[in-house]
């Protein structure tokens, strides 16, 4: 069975410092992995996706994520946080072994302090 | 055009009302989805349409009735809702759906949602 775990429900950083949002997955096969961002009262926007090409994936707004099969992780990082990064972030897995069933993580709320 | 447009943005209705949520996309996507999202929770899949046919109903109560008039439009008809149905309703689309499942191939494109309040 596939699953996705976001290890932190809340992360707080200061503006200009690095961001790390952690995601671990469970999958029988090589999954497709996504990070989405949701600002308050808005829809979800795709930040980046991994679909079995390069393991280091660059996304929008300076975010990137690295697929590590040995650690079953897909952590999201950004070198320098901006106030506008404050939002909810969802790690999502789509697993061909699970019939491409899409599983959302519980979400991580990112707070950015001035 | 890479947008999914949802109307209305906000809706307040009584438990005896009938209302509809609308969703439109012009990206040529053949799979469209309705999700329900409660506060501080991830989206939960409700319905999936593939090539204008309903392919997945995640055991949603019949007071929610989806409709796909054409490949660009998706409606959600609401009748006799309960206060616990208050939530953000998100429409999404993807290029296509994996056969036999409700899951998209590739990424989902989401609208901004319709905030529903049931009194």
């Amino acid at each position: 069975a596939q699953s996705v775990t976001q290890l932190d429900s809340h992360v707080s950083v200061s503006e200009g410092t690095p961001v790390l949002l952690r995601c671990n997955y469970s999958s029988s096969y090589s999954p497709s992995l996504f990070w989405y961002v949701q600002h308050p009262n808005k829809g979800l926007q795709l930040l980046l996706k991994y679909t079995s090409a390069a393991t280091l994936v660059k996304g929008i707004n300076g975010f990137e994520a690295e697929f590590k099969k040995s650690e079953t992780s897909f952590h999201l990082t950004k070198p320098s946080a901006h106030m506008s990064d404050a939002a909810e972030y969802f790690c999502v897995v789509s697993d061909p072994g699970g019939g491409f069933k899409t599983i959302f993580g519980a979400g991580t709320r990112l707070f950015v302090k001035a | 055009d890479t947008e999914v447009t949802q109307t209305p943005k906000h809706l307040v209705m009584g438990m005896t009302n009938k209302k509809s949520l609308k969703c439109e996309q012009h990206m040529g996507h053949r799979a469209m989805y309705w999700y329900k999202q409660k506060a501080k929770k991830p989206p939960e899949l409700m319905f999936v349409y593939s090539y204008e046919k309903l392919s997945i109903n995640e055991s949603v109560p019949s007071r929610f009735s989806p409709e796909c008039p054409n490949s660009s439009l998706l409606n959600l008809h609401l009748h006799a809702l309960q206060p616990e149905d208050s939530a953000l309703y998100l429409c999404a689309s993807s290029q296509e759906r994996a056969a036999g499942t409700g899951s998209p191939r590739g990424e989902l494109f989401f609208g901004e949602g319709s905030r529903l309040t049931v009194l």
Side-chain angles (χ1 to χ4, degrees):
Chain A
Q2 59 177 340
S3 64
V4 58
T5 302
Q6 292 185 241
L7 297 165
D8 307 290
S9 60
H10 299 87
V11 170
S12 183
V13 301
S14 297
E15 192 174 22
T17 64
V19 175
L20 170 64
L21 304 183
R22 298 182 294 166
C23 174
N24 282 79
Y25 70 92
S26 172
S27 171
S28 303
Y29 297 85
S30 293
S32 293
L33 293 158
F34 309 84
W35 276 99
Y36 288 86
V37 61
Q38 185 177 32
H39 288 90
N41 296 310
K42 298 289 188 182
L44 280 72
Q45 181 185 17
L46 180 71
L47 278 177
L48 49 80
K49 61 181 178 181
Y50 167 78
T51 53
S52 75
T55 56
L56 183 61
V57 182
K58 293 188 184 300
I60 62 171
N61 301 334
F63 284 94
E64 63 181 40
E66 186 171 7
F67 173 71
K68 291 187 176 180
K69 188 174 181 179
S70 60
E71 299 175 11
T72 61
S73 68
F74 191 57
H75 301 334
L76 182 70
T77 61
K78 182 174 180 177
S80 176
H82 192 273
M83 295 296 289
S84 60
D85 295 327
E88 189 83 22
Y89 291 79
F90 292 100
C91 182
V92 178
V93 62
S94 180
D95 185 349
F100 285 99
K101 189 170 174 64
T102 297
I103 303 293
F104 282 78
T108 298
R109 172 65 64 138
L110 177 64
F111 296 94
V112 182
K113 299 173 288 187
Chain B
D1 187 356
T2 57
E3 281 192 351
V4 176
T5 304
Q6 290 188 244
T7 56
K9 291 191 186 305
H10 300 275
L11 179 62
V12 179
M13 59 187 291
M15 290 190 284
T16 58
N17 291 159
K18 284 186 182 180
K19 298 286 185 182
S20 297
L21 306 181
K22 297 184 184 300
C23 175
E24 188 169 5
Q25 58 90 11
H26 293 290
M27 294 177 279
H29 290 172
R30 304 315 301 264
M32 296 185 76
Y33 309 74
W34 279 115
Y35 282 85
K36 174 182 177 180
Q37 187 180 26
K38 302 285 274 185
K40 302 185 190 304
K41 296 290 187 183
E44 297 174 16
L45 183 65
M46 300 175 71
F47 301 105
V48 181
Y49 273 83
S50 179
Y51 291 86
E52 300 155 52
K53 287 187 171 31
L54 181 65
S55 57
I56 298 288
N57 176 342
E58 293 283 359
S59 303
V60 179
S62 59
R63 58 185 183 269
F64 294 91
S65 175
E67 179 196 19
C68 189
N70 60 54
S71 60
S72 300
L73 293 174
L74 187 65
N75 297 323
L76 186 62
H77 302 299
L78 314 170
H79 174 53
L81 294 192
Q82 304 296 311
E84 59 264 29
D85 296 322
S86 298
L88 182 68
Y89 288 84
L90 293 163
C91 175
S93 69
S94 67
Q95 286 188 324
E96 60 177 347
R97 179 183 65 82
T101 79
S103 295
R105 288 192 185 275
E107 64 266 36
L108 290 162
F109 292 81
F110 284 88
E112 294 214 335
S114 293
R115 173 73 61 189
L116 174 66
T117 302
V118 182
L119 301 176

